[in-house]
Short mmCIF file of all heavy atoms in Angstrom, two decimals:
data_model
loop_
_atom_site.label_atom_id
_atom_site.label_comp_id
_atom_site.label_asym_id
_atom_site.label_seq_id
_atom_site.Cartn_x
_atom_site.Cartn_y
_atom_site.Cartn_z
N VAL S 1 0.87 -1.15 -0.03
CA VAL S 1 0.03 0.00 -0.01
C VAL S 1 0.85 1.21 0.00
O VAL S 1 1.84 1.31 0.76
CB VAL S 1 -0.90 -0.03 1.27
CG1 VAL S 1 -1.70 1.28 1.34
CG2 VAL S 1 -1.83 -1.18 1.28
N GLU S 2 0.57 2.22 -0.84
CA GLU S 2 1.32 3.41 -0.90
C GLU S 2 0.33 4.54 -0.56
O GLU S 2 -0.70 4.67 -1.21
CB GLU S 2 1.98 3.66 -2.23
CG GLU S 2 2.92 4.83 -2.20
CD GLU S 2 3.86 4.87 -3.42
OE1 GLU S 2 4.18 3.80 -3.99
OE2 GLU S 2 4.20 5.95 -3.85
N GLY S 3 0.62 5.34 0.44
CA GLY S 3 -0.23 6.46 0.85
C GLY S 3 -0.48 6.46 2.35
O GLY S 3 0.04 5.59 3.06
N THR S 4 -1.25 7.41 2.82
CA THR S 4 -1.48 7.57 4.25
C THR S 4 -2.67 6.67 4.67
O THR S 4 -3.69 6.56 3.96
CB THR S 4 -1.88 9.00 4.51
OG1 THR S 4 -0.76 9.83 4.14
CG2 THR S 4 -2.17 9.19 6.02
N ILE S 5 -2.49 5.96 5.83
CA ILE S 5 -3.56 5.15 6.33
C ILE S 5 -3.97 5.77 7.69
O ILE S 5 -3.15 5.96 8.51
CB ILE S 5 -3.09 3.72 6.59
CG1 ILE S 5 -2.74 3.10 5.23
CG2 ILE S 5 -4.12 2.91 7.31
CD1 ILE S 5 -2.16 1.69 5.33
N THR S 6 -5.29 5.94 7.82
CA THR S 6 -5.84 6.49 9.10
C THR S 6 -6.98 5.59 9.51
O THR S 6 -7.87 5.32 8.75
CB THR S 6 -6.38 7.95 8.89
OG1 THR S 6 -5.26 8.74 8.45
CG2 THR S 6 -6.88 8.48 10.24
N ALA S 7 -6.90 5.05 10.72
CA ALA S 7 -7.93 4.17 11.27
C ALA S 7 -8.28 4.54 12.66
O ALA S 7 -7.42 5.02 13.44
CB ALA S 7 -7.43 2.72 11.18
N THR S 8 -9.51 4.32 13.09
CA THR S 8 -9.91 4.64 14.43
C THR S 8 -9.72 3.44 15.36
O THR S 8 -9.87 3.58 16.58
CB THR S 8 -11.40 5.11 14.46
OG1 THR S 8 -12.23 4.09 13.93
CG2 THR S 8 -11.59 6.41 13.75
N GLY S 9 -9.46 2.27 14.79
CA GLY S 9 -9.35 1.09 15.59
C GLY S 9 -8.00 0.44 15.40
O GLY S 9 -6.96 1.14 15.26
N LYS S 10 -7.98 -0.87 15.32
CA LYS S 10 -6.76 -1.67 15.20
C LYS S 10 -6.36 -1.90 13.78
O LYS S 10 -7.22 -2.22 12.92
CB LYS S 10 -7.01 -3.04 15.94
CG LYS S 10 -5.84 -3.96 15.94
CD LYS S 10 -6.15 -5.24 16.67
CE LYS S 10 -4.97 -6.12 16.86
NZ LYS S 10 -5.28 -7.30 17.67
N VAL S 11 -5.07 -1.81 13.51
CA VAL S 11 -4.53 -2.10 12.18
C VAL S 11 -3.56 -3.32 12.37
O VAL S 11 -2.76 -3.32 13.32
CB VAL S 11 -3.74 -0.93 11.58
CG1 VAL S 11 -3.09 -1.29 10.32
CG2 VAL S 11 -4.71 0.24 11.31
N VAL S 12 -3.69 -4.32 11.47
CA VAL S 12 -2.83 -5.48 11.48
C VAL S 12 -2.09 -5.51 10.16
O VAL S 12 -2.71 -5.52 9.08
CB VAL S 12 -3.61 -6.77 11.68
CG1 VAL S 12 -2.65 -7.98 11.63
CG2 VAL S 12 -4.32 -6.77 13.05
N ILE S 13 -0.76 -5.60 10.14
CA ILE S 13 0.08 -5.76 8.97
C ILE S 13 0.78 -7.08 9.02
O ILE S 13 1.51 -7.37 9.88
CB ILE S 13 1.12 -4.62 8.90
CG1 ILE S 13 0.45 -3.24 8.93
CG2 ILE S 13 1.98 -4.80 7.69
CD1 ILE S 13 1.35 -2.09 9.05
N GLY S 14 0.39 -7.95 8.09
CA GLY S 14 0.93 -9.33 8.03
C GLY S 14 2.33 -9.35 7.57
O GLY S 14 2.97 -8.36 7.21
N ASN S 15 2.91 -10.64 7.53
CA ASN S 15 4.32 -10.84 7.17
C ASN S 15 4.72 -10.24 5.88
O ASN S 15 5.81 -9.75 5.74
CB ASN S 15 4.56 -12.35 7.15
CG ASN S 15 4.70 -12.94 8.51
OD1 ASN S 15 5.08 -12.28 9.46
ND2 ASN S 15 4.31 -14.22 8.66
N THR S 16 3.84 -10.29 4.87
CA THR S 16 4.18 -9.75 3.53
C THR S 16 3.66 -8.34 3.33
O THR S 16 3.82 -7.78 2.27
CB THR S 16 3.61 -10.68 2.42
OG1 THR S 16 2.21 -10.74 2.58
CG2 THR S 16 4.23 -12.09 2.51
N GLY S 17 3.07 -7.76 4.38
CA GLY S 17 2.52 -6.39 4.26
C GLY S 17 3.63 -5.37 4.16
O GLY S 17 4.66 -5.42 4.80
N TYR S 18 3.33 -4.38 3.30
CA TYR S 18 4.28 -3.27 3.03
C TYR S 18 3.50 -1.98 2.95
O TYR S 18 2.56 -1.88 2.12
CB TYR S 18 5.08 -3.52 1.74
CG TYR S 18 5.94 -2.35 1.33
CD1 TYR S 18 7.12 -2.10 1.93
CD2 TYR S 18 5.53 -1.47 0.29
CE1 TYR S 18 7.90 -1.01 1.59
CE2 TYR S 18 6.29 -0.37 0.00
CZ TYR S 18 7.52 -0.16 0.57
OH TYR S 18 8.27 0.93 0.19
N ILE S 19 3.89 -1.00 3.69
CA ILE S 19 3.23 0.33 3.64
C ILE S 19 4.27 1.38 3.44
O ILE S 19 5.29 1.43 4.17
CB ILE S 19 2.46 0.63 4.95
CG1 ILE S 19 1.30 -0.34 5.18
CG2 ILE S 19 1.92 2.10 4.95
CD1 ILE S 19 0.60 -0.16 6.45
N LYS S 20 4.11 2.20 2.38
CA LYS S 20 4.98 3.35 2.14
C LYS S 20 4.09 4.55 2.35
O LYS S 20 3.33 4.90 1.46
CB LYS S 20 5.55 3.25 0.73
CG LYS S 20 6.52 4.41 0.47
CD LYS S 20 7.19 4.31 -0.83
CE LYS S 20 8.24 5.40 -1.03
NZ LYS S 20 8.98 5.25 -2.29
N GLY S 21 4.21 5.12 3.52
CA GLY S 21 3.42 6.26 3.92
C GLY S 21 3.17 6.27 5.42
O GLY S 21 3.58 5.33 6.11
N ASP S 22 2.52 7.31 5.91
CA ASP S 22 2.29 7.41 7.37
C ASP S 22 1.06 6.64 7.74
O ASP S 22 0.11 6.48 6.99
CB ASP S 22 2.08 8.89 7.72
CG ASP S 22 3.39 9.71 7.49
OD1 ASP S 22 4.48 9.05 7.42
OD2 ASP S 22 3.30 10.93 7.39
N LEU S 23 1.11 6.13 9.01
CA LEU S 23 -0.04 5.34 9.50
C LEU S 23 -0.47 5.92 10.86
O LEU S 23 0.39 6.19 11.70
CB LEU S 23 0.37 3.89 9.71
CG LEU S 23 -0.67 2.93 10.22
CD1 LEU S 23 -0.54 1.58 9.49
CD2 LEU S 23 -0.61 2.78 11.69
N THR S 24 -1.77 6.10 11.03
CA THR S 24 -2.33 6.61 12.30
C THR S 24 -3.45 5.61 12.69
O THR S 24 -4.30 5.27 11.85
CB THR S 24 -2.94 7.99 12.13
OG1 THR S 24 -1.91 8.89 11.68
CG2 THR S 24 -3.50 8.49 13.45
N ALA S 25 -3.40 5.08 13.95
CA ALA S 25 -4.41 4.17 14.39
C ALA S 25 -4.49 4.16 15.91
O ALA S 25 -3.64 4.75 16.57
CB ALA S 25 -4.08 2.72 13.89
N ALA S 26 -5.46 3.42 16.44
CA ALA S 26 -5.54 3.26 17.91
C ALA S 26 -4.53 2.24 18.38
O ALA S 26 -3.84 2.44 19.36
CB ALA S 26 -6.98 2.85 18.27
N THR S 27 -4.45 1.08 17.67
CA THR S 27 -3.47 0.07 18.04
C THR S 27 -2.89 -0.49 16.72
O THR S 27 -3.53 -0.42 15.67
CB THR S 27 -4.04 -1.14 18.85
OG1 THR S 27 -5.10 -1.72 18.08
CG2 THR S 27 -4.55 -0.62 20.17
N LEU S 28 -1.66 -1.05 16.80
CA LEU S 28 -1.04 -1.64 15.65
C LEU S 28 -0.34 -2.91 15.99
O LEU S 28 0.45 -2.94 16.93
CB LEU S 28 0.00 -0.60 15.05
CG LEU S 28 0.92 -1.13 13.96
CD1 LEU S 28 0.09 -1.47 12.69
CD2 LEU S 28 1.98 -0.10 13.62
N ASP S 29 -0.69 -3.98 15.32
CA ASP S 29 0.06 -5.26 15.41
C ASP S 29 0.70 -5.46 14.07
O ASP S 29 0.04 -5.45 13.01
CB ASP S 29 -0.92 -6.41 15.62
CG ASP S 29 -1.42 -6.50 17.08
OD1 ASP S 29 -0.88 -5.73 17.89
OD2 ASP S 29 -2.34 -7.27 17.33
N MET S 30 2.06 -5.57 14.08
CA MET S 30 2.74 -5.68 12.76
C MET S 30 3.74 -6.79 12.74
O MET S 30 4.43 -7.06 13.70
CB MET S 30 3.30 -4.35 12.37
CG MET S 30 4.41 -3.81 13.19
SD MET S 30 5.15 -2.30 12.45
CE MET S 30 5.77 -2.89 10.89
N MET S 31 3.81 -7.38 11.52
CA MET S 31 4.82 -8.38 11.21
C MET S 31 5.53 -7.98 9.90
O MET S 31 6.54 -8.60 9.59
CB MET S 31 4.15 -9.73 11.03
CG MET S 31 3.55 -10.24 12.33
SD MET S 31 2.22 -11.44 12.07
CE MET S 31 0.80 -10.29 11.98
N GLY S 32 5.02 -6.99 9.20
CA GLY S 32 5.60 -6.57 7.89
C GLY S 32 6.47 -5.38 8.01
O GLY S 32 7.25 -5.18 8.95
N TYR S 33 6.37 -4.47 6.99
CA TYR S 33 7.29 -3.38 6.86
C TYR S 33 6.53 -2.06 6.67
O TYR S 33 5.51 -2.00 5.89
CB TYR S 33 8.19 -3.61 5.59
CG TYR S 33 9.12 -2.50 5.27
CD1 TYR S 33 10.19 -2.24 6.10
CD2 TYR S 33 8.96 -1.74 4.16
CE1 TYR S 33 11.11 -1.18 5.79
CE2 TYR S 33 9.83 -0.71 3.84
CZ TYR S 33 10.87 -0.40 4.66
OH TYR S 33 11.77 0.61 4.38
N ILE S 34 6.94 -1.03 7.35
CA ILE S 34 6.42 0.33 7.16
C ILE S 34 7.54 1.30 6.91
O ILE S 34 8.59 1.31 7.62
CB ILE S 34 5.67 0.84 8.41
CG1 ILE S 34 4.45 0.00 8.71
CG2 ILE S 34 5.21 2.31 8.21
CD1 ILE S 34 3.70 0.39 10.00
N GLU S 35 7.38 2.04 5.81
CA GLU S 35 8.31 3.10 5.46
C GLU S 35 7.58 4.40 5.59
O GLU S 35 6.85 4.85 4.71
CB GLU S 35 8.87 2.91 4.03
CG GLU S 35 9.87 3.95 3.64
CD GLU S 35 10.39 3.82 2.20
OE1 GLU S 35 10.21 2.72 1.63
OE2 GLU S 35 10.91 4.79 1.68
N GLY S 36 7.61 4.96 6.79
CA GLY S 36 6.89 6.19 7.12
C GLY S 36 6.69 6.33 8.62
O GLY S 36 7.11 5.46 9.40
N ASN S 37 6.08 7.39 9.06
CA ASN S 37 5.84 7.60 10.47
C ASN S 37 4.63 6.92 10.97
O ASN S 37 3.64 6.75 10.26
CB ASN S 37 5.73 9.15 10.72
CG ASN S 37 7.02 9.83 10.43
OD1 ASN S 37 8.06 9.32 10.74
ND2 ASN S 37 6.88 11.03 9.86
N VAL S 38 4.68 6.45 12.23
CA VAL S 38 3.63 5.75 12.89
C VAL S 38 3.11 6.53 14.09
O VAL S 38 3.95 6.82 14.97
CB VAL S 38 4.08 4.32 13.29
CG1 VAL S 38 3.01 3.58 14.06
CG2 VAL S 38 4.55 3.50 12.07
N VAL S 39 1.82 6.81 14.13
CA VAL S 39 1.21 7.50 15.30
C VAL S 39 0.08 6.60 15.81
O VAL S 39 -0.93 6.39 15.09
CB VAL S 39 0.67 8.86 14.88
CG1 VAL S 39 0.02 9.53 16.10
CG2 VAL S 39 1.81 9.75 14.34
N VAL S 40 0.28 6.07 17.01
CA VAL S 40 -0.71 5.13 17.62
C VAL S 40 -1.04 5.59 18.98
O VAL S 40 -0.10 5.77 19.82
CB VAL S 40 -0.16 3.68 17.59
CG1 VAL S 40 -1.07 2.76 18.34
CG2 VAL S 40 0.07 3.20 16.17
N SER S 41 -2.33 5.78 19.27
CA SER S 41 -2.74 6.31 20.57
C SER S 41 -2.55 5.27 21.71
O SER S 41 -2.30 5.69 22.85
CB SER S 41 -4.20 6.77 20.49
OG SER S 41 -5.02 5.72 20.11
N ASP S 42 -2.57 4.01 21.41
CA ASP S 42 -2.45 3.00 22.47
C ASP S 42 -1.11 2.20 22.26
O ASP S 42 -0.11 2.68 22.57
CB ASP S 42 -3.65 2.09 22.51
CG ASP S 42 -3.69 1.18 23.77
OD1 ASP S 42 -2.94 1.45 24.74
OD2 ASP S 42 -4.47 0.19 23.71
N THR S 43 -1.22 0.99 21.69
CA THR S 43 -0.04 0.11 21.70
C THR S 43 0.43 -0.26 20.25
O THR S 43 -0.45 -0.62 19.37
CB THR S 43 -0.38 -1.23 22.42
OG1 THR S 43 -0.83 -0.86 23.75
CG2 THR S 43 0.78 -2.14 22.53
N VAL S 44 1.69 -0.23 20.04
CA VAL S 44 2.34 -0.78 18.84
C VAL S 44 2.98 -2.09 19.27
O VAL S 44 3.83 -2.08 20.23
CB VAL S 44 3.40 0.18 18.31
CG1 VAL S 44 4.14 -0.48 17.14
CG2 VAL S 44 2.80 1.51 17.84
N MET S 45 2.66 -3.21 18.61
CA MET S 45 3.31 -4.50 18.87
C MET S 45 4.08 -4.87 17.60
O MET S 45 3.51 -5.08 16.54
CB MET S 45 2.21 -5.54 19.14
CG MET S 45 2.78 -6.95 19.30
SD MET S 45 3.86 -7.05 20.75
CE MET S 45 4.56 -8.66 20.51
N MET S 46 5.43 -4.85 17.76
CA MET S 46 6.31 -5.21 16.66
C MET S 46 6.75 -6.71 16.86
O MET S 46 7.50 -7.01 17.77
CB MET S 46 7.50 -4.30 16.59
CG MET S 46 7.21 -2.87 16.25
SD MET S 46 8.66 -1.85 16.15
CE MET S 46 9.43 -2.47 14.65
N LYS S 47 6.25 -7.57 15.97
CA LYS S 47 6.67 -9.00 15.99
C LYS S 47 8.08 -9.07 15.43
O LYS S 47 8.64 -8.14 14.84
CB LYS S 47 5.69 -9.84 15.17
CG LYS S 47 4.24 -9.74 15.66
CD LYS S 47 4.07 -10.41 16.96
CE LYS S 47 2.62 -10.49 17.32
NZ LYS S 47 2.35 -11.18 18.57
N SER S 48 8.69 -10.22 15.60
CA SER S 48 10.11 -10.42 15.23
C SER S 48 10.43 -10.14 13.77
O SER S 48 11.55 -9.74 13.45
CB SER S 48 10.58 -11.80 15.61
OG SER S 48 9.81 -12.79 14.90
N SER S 49 9.48 -10.30 12.90
CA SER S 49 9.69 -10.13 11.45
C SER S 49 9.42 -8.72 10.99
O SER S 49 9.59 -8.35 9.82
CB SER S 49 8.81 -11.06 10.66
OG SER S 49 7.42 -10.86 10.94
N SER S 50 9.03 -7.81 11.88
CA SER S 50 8.60 -6.42 11.54
C SER S 50 9.80 -5.49 11.41
O SER S 50 10.80 -5.67 12.02
CB SER S 50 7.56 -5.93 12.50
OG SER S 50 8.14 -5.73 13.78
N SER S 51 9.54 -4.45 10.63
CA SER S 51 10.52 -3.43 10.35
C SER S 51 9.85 -2.06 10.16
O SER S 51 8.87 -1.99 9.38
CB SER S 51 11.35 -3.84 9.15
OG SER S 51 12.37 -2.85 8.90
N ILE S 52 10.31 -1.03 10.81
CA ILE S 52 9.81 0.31 10.59
C ILE S 52 11.03 1.20 10.26
O ILE S 52 12.02 1.29 11.01
CB ILE S 52 9.12 0.89 11.84
CG1 ILE S 52 7.87 0.06 12.21
CG2 ILE S 52 8.71 2.36 11.60
CD1 ILE S 52 7.18 0.48 13.45
N ASP S 53 10.91 1.91 9.11
CA ASP S 53 11.86 2.94 8.74
C ASP S 53 11.07 4.25 8.83
O ASP S 53 10.42 4.69 7.94
CB ASP S 53 12.37 2.77 7.34
CG ASP S 53 13.47 1.77 7.28
OD1 ASP S 53 14.24 1.67 8.26
OD2 ASP S 53 13.52 1.00 6.30
N GLY S 54 11.10 4.85 10.10
CA GLY S 54 10.36 6.11 10.30
C GLY S 54 10.24 6.27 11.84
O GLY S 54 10.68 5.43 12.62
N ASN S 55 9.59 7.37 12.23
CA ASN S 55 9.42 7.69 13.62
C ASN S 55 8.18 7.03 14.19
O ASN S 55 7.21 6.84 13.47
CB ASN S 55 9.38 9.18 13.85
CG ASN S 55 10.66 9.85 13.32
OD1 ASN S 55 11.76 9.31 13.55
ND2 ASN S 55 10.56 11.03 12.71
N VAL S 56 8.24 6.69 15.45
CA VAL S 56 7.09 6.02 16.13
C VAL S 56 6.63 6.93 17.34
O VAL S 56 7.46 7.24 18.16
CB VAL S 56 7.43 4.61 16.58
CG1 VAL S 56 6.25 4.06 17.43
CG2 VAL S 56 7.84 3.76 15.42
N PHE S 57 5.40 7.27 17.36
CA PHE S 57 4.77 8.01 18.45
C PHE S 57 3.63 7.10 18.98
O PHE S 57 2.71 6.86 18.27
CB PHE S 57 4.25 9.37 17.98
CG PHE S 57 5.23 10.21 17.26
CD1 PHE S 57 5.43 10.13 15.91
CD2 PHE S 57 6.07 11.03 17.99
CE1 PHE S 57 6.35 10.90 15.26
CE2 PHE S 57 7.02 11.86 17.38
CZ PHE S 57 7.16 11.71 15.94
N ALA S 58 3.76 6.61 20.20
CA ALA S 58 2.76 5.64 20.69
C ALA S 58 2.66 5.71 22.22
O ALA S 58 3.58 6.18 22.87
CB ALA S 58 3.18 4.24 20.27
N GLY S 59 1.50 5.27 22.71
CA GLY S 59 1.31 5.18 24.13
C GLY S 59 2.19 4.07 24.75
O GLY S 59 2.84 4.28 25.82
N LYS S 60 2.36 2.95 23.99
CA LYS S 60 3.20 1.81 24.44
C LYS S 60 3.81 1.20 23.27
O LYS S 60 3.20 1.17 22.18
CB LYS S 60 2.35 0.74 25.22
CG LYS S 60 1.76 1.19 26.53
CD LYS S 60 1.02 0.07 27.14
CE LYS S 60 -0.46 0.46 27.13
NZ LYS S 60 -1.44 -0.59 27.61
N LEU S 61 5.03 0.70 23.41
CA LEU S 61 5.75 0.01 22.32
C LEU S 61 6.23 -1.34 22.86
O LEU S 61 7.00 -1.34 23.81
CB LEU S 61 6.91 0.85 21.82
CG LEU S 61 7.78 0.23 20.75
CD1 LEU S 61 7.00 -0.02 19.49
CD2 LEU S 61 9.03 1.12 20.48
N LEU S 62 5.77 -2.44 22.24
CA LEU S 62 6.24 -3.79 22.55
C LEU S 62 7.00 -4.30 21.40
O LEU S 62 6.47 -4.34 20.28
CB LEU S 62 5.03 -4.70 22.91
CG LEU S 62 4.12 -4.15 23.99
CD1 LEU S 62 2.87 -5.04 24.07
CD2 LEU S 62 4.77 -4.12 25.30
N VAL S 63 8.24 -4.79 21.59
CA VAL S 63 9.12 -5.17 20.50
C VAL S 63 9.66 -6.57 20.82
O VAL S 63 10.30 -6.76 21.83
CB VAL S 63 10.26 -4.20 20.36
CG1 VAL S 63 11.16 -4.57 19.18
CG2 VAL S 63 9.82 -2.76 20.17
N GLU S 64 9.45 -7.47 19.85
CA GLU S 64 10.03 -8.83 19.99
C GLU S 64 11.44 -8.81 19.44
O GLU S 64 11.79 -7.97 18.55
CB GLU S 64 9.17 -9.85 19.17
CG GLU S 64 7.86 -10.21 19.78
CD GLU S 64 7.20 -11.30 18.98
OE1 GLU S 64 7.67 -11.74 17.91
OE2 GLU S 64 6.08 -11.74 19.45
N SER S 65 12.24 -9.72 19.96
CA SER S 65 13.59 -9.87 19.51
C SER S 65 13.60 -10.12 17.99
O SER S 65 12.90 -10.98 17.49
CB SER S 65 14.30 -11.05 20.24
OG SER S 65 15.58 -11.21 19.78
N GLY S 66 14.42 -9.39 17.23
CA GLY S 66 14.50 -9.55 15.81
C GLY S 66 13.80 -8.44 15.04
O GLY S 66 14.17 -8.21 13.87
N ALA S 67 12.93 -7.76 15.70
CA ALA S 67 12.25 -6.63 15.04
C ALA S 67 13.27 -5.47 14.86
O ALA S 67 14.18 -5.34 15.61
CB ALA S 67 11.12 -6.13 15.88
N ARG S 68 13.04 -4.66 13.80
CA ARG S 68 13.95 -3.56 13.52
C ARG S 68 13.18 -2.23 13.44
O ARG S 68 12.12 -2.13 12.84
CB ARG S 68 14.61 -3.82 12.16
CG ARG S 68 15.75 -2.92 11.85
CD ARG S 68 16.37 -3.26 10.48
NE ARG S 68 15.47 -2.90 9.36
CZ ARG S 68 15.35 -1.68 8.91
NH1 ARG S 68 16.03 -0.64 9.42
NH2 ARG S 68 14.48 -1.41 7.89
N LEU S 69 13.81 -1.25 14.08
CA LEU S 69 13.22 0.14 14.03
C LEU S 69 14.34 1.14 13.75
O LEU S 69 15.34 1.17 14.46
CB LEU S 69 12.56 0.47 15.41
CG LEU S 69 12.13 1.92 15.60
CD1 LEU S 69 11.11 2.34 14.56
CD2 LEU S 69 11.52 2.08 17.01
N ASN S 70 14.22 1.84 12.67
CA ASN S 70 15.19 2.85 12.21
C ASN S 70 14.47 4.19 12.29
O ASN S 70 13.84 4.60 11.30
CB ASN S 70 15.69 2.54 10.86
CG ASN S 70 16.76 3.48 10.43
OD1 ASN S 70 17.46 4.11 11.26
ND2 ASN S 70 16.92 3.65 9.12
N GLY S 71 14.55 4.86 13.37
CA GLY S 71 13.90 6.14 13.52
C GLY S 71 13.85 6.54 14.99
O GLY S 71 14.47 5.92 15.85
N GLN S 72 13.15 7.59 15.32
CA GLN S 72 13.02 8.03 16.71
C GLN S 72 11.69 7.55 17.31
O GLN S 72 10.78 7.34 16.55
CB GLN S 72 13.06 9.56 16.74
CG GLN S 72 14.38 10.16 16.29
CD GLN S 72 14.41 11.66 16.43
OE1 GLN S 72 13.39 12.29 16.63
NE2 GLN S 72 15.59 12.23 16.30
N CYS S 73 11.76 7.36 18.60
CA CYS S 73 10.53 6.95 19.35
C CYS S 73 10.12 7.91 20.39
O CYS S 73 11.00 8.46 21.13
CB CYS S 73 10.76 5.64 20.02
SG CYS S 73 11.13 4.25 19.02
N LEU S 74 8.91 8.19 20.47
CA LEU S 74 8.29 8.99 21.57
C LEU S 74 7.20 8.14 22.12
O LEU S 74 6.17 7.97 21.50
CB LEU S 74 7.82 10.36 21.07
CG LEU S 74 7.14 11.23 22.16
CD1 LEU S 74 8.14 11.54 23.27
CD2 LEU S 74 6.63 12.52 21.59
N ILE S 75 7.43 7.58 23.35
CA ILE S 75 6.51 6.61 23.93
C ILE S 75 5.95 7.20 25.20
O ILE S 75 6.69 7.79 26.02
CB ILE S 75 7.21 5.29 24.26
CG1 ILE S 75 7.97 4.75 22.97
CG2 ILE S 75 6.28 4.29 24.79
CD1 ILE S 75 7.10 4.54 21.78
N GLY S 76 4.67 7.06 25.44
CA GLY S 76 3.99 7.54 26.60
C GLY S 76 2.93 8.58 26.19
O GLY S 76 2.80 9.02 25.10
N LYS S 77 2.06 8.89 27.14
CA LYS S 77 1.01 9.82 26.91
C LYS S 77 1.54 11.22 26.82
O LYS S 77 2.50 11.62 27.48
CB LYS S 77 -0.03 9.79 28.11
CG LYS S 77 -0.64 8.43 28.28
CD LYS S 77 -1.62 8.12 27.18
CE LYS S 77 -2.30 6.79 27.47
NZ LYS S 77 -3.00 6.32 26.31
N LYS S 78 0.91 12.04 25.96
CA LYS S 78 1.31 13.41 25.79
C LYS S 78 0.91 14.20 27.02
O LYS S 78 -0.19 13.93 27.59
CB LYS S 78 0.63 14.08 24.55
CG LYS S 78 1.17 13.54 23.26
CD LYS S 78 0.53 14.24 22.11
CE LYS S 78 1.04 13.84 20.81
NZ LYS S 78 0.39 14.55 19.71
N ASP S 79 1.69 15.15 27.46
CA ASP S 79 1.30 16.00 28.57
C ASP S 79 0.26 16.98 28.07
O ASP S 79 0.34 17.51 26.98
CB ASP S 79 2.52 16.77 29.08
CG ASP S 79 3.54 15.88 29.75
OD1 ASP S 79 3.17 14.79 30.23
OD2 ASP S 79 4.75 16.25 29.75
N SER S 80 -0.73 17.23 28.94
CA SER S 80 -1.80 18.17 28.52
C SER S 80 -1.34 19.61 28.72
O SER S 80 -0.56 19.95 29.50
CB SER S 80 -3.04 17.95 29.43
OG SER S 80 -3.30 16.60 29.57
#
């Protein structure tokens, strides 16, 4: 998929999934590849086969051994 993805719920990216663009969602479970920024209000779960080339902004980040992240992370709730 090429372009911006915006969802109000959960997004799942399978092993062969590829996104070139920014993603915004409530939760993200991923096993594939994202080239772009990720903004998730709750939890990002990166499985061992997953890879992100971009920045991650999330409430929580769970990373399995083998997952790859090339970018900056801002984890936690935003201050009001």
Side-chain angles (χ1 to χ4, degrees):
V1 175
E2 190 166 330
T4 300
I5 295 175
T6 302
T8 57
K10 181 178 187 175
V11 173
V12 177
I13 301 171
N15 284 329
T16 59
Y18 172 79
I19 297 173
K20 183 173 184 176
D22 295 339
L23 182 142
T24 301
T27 60
L28 172 63
D29 285 350
M30 66 173 296
M31 294 155 271
Y33 177 70
I34 297 176
E35 182 181 342
N37 294 321
V38 174
V39 179
V40 172
S41 58
D42 191 16
T43 303
V44 173
M45 177 62 190
M46 294 182 69
K47 302 290 187 177
S48 61
S49 61
S50 65
S51 181
I52 298 175
D53 282 323
N55 299 322
V56 175
F57 306 91
K60 292 180 250 175
L61 176 64
L62 305 172
V63 182
E64 287 185 356
S65 178
R68 190 180 70 80
L69 172 59
N70 181 27
Q72 296 182 348
C73 295
L74 179 60
I75 307 303
K77 300 288 183 192
K78 290 183 178 180
D79 293 334
S80 315

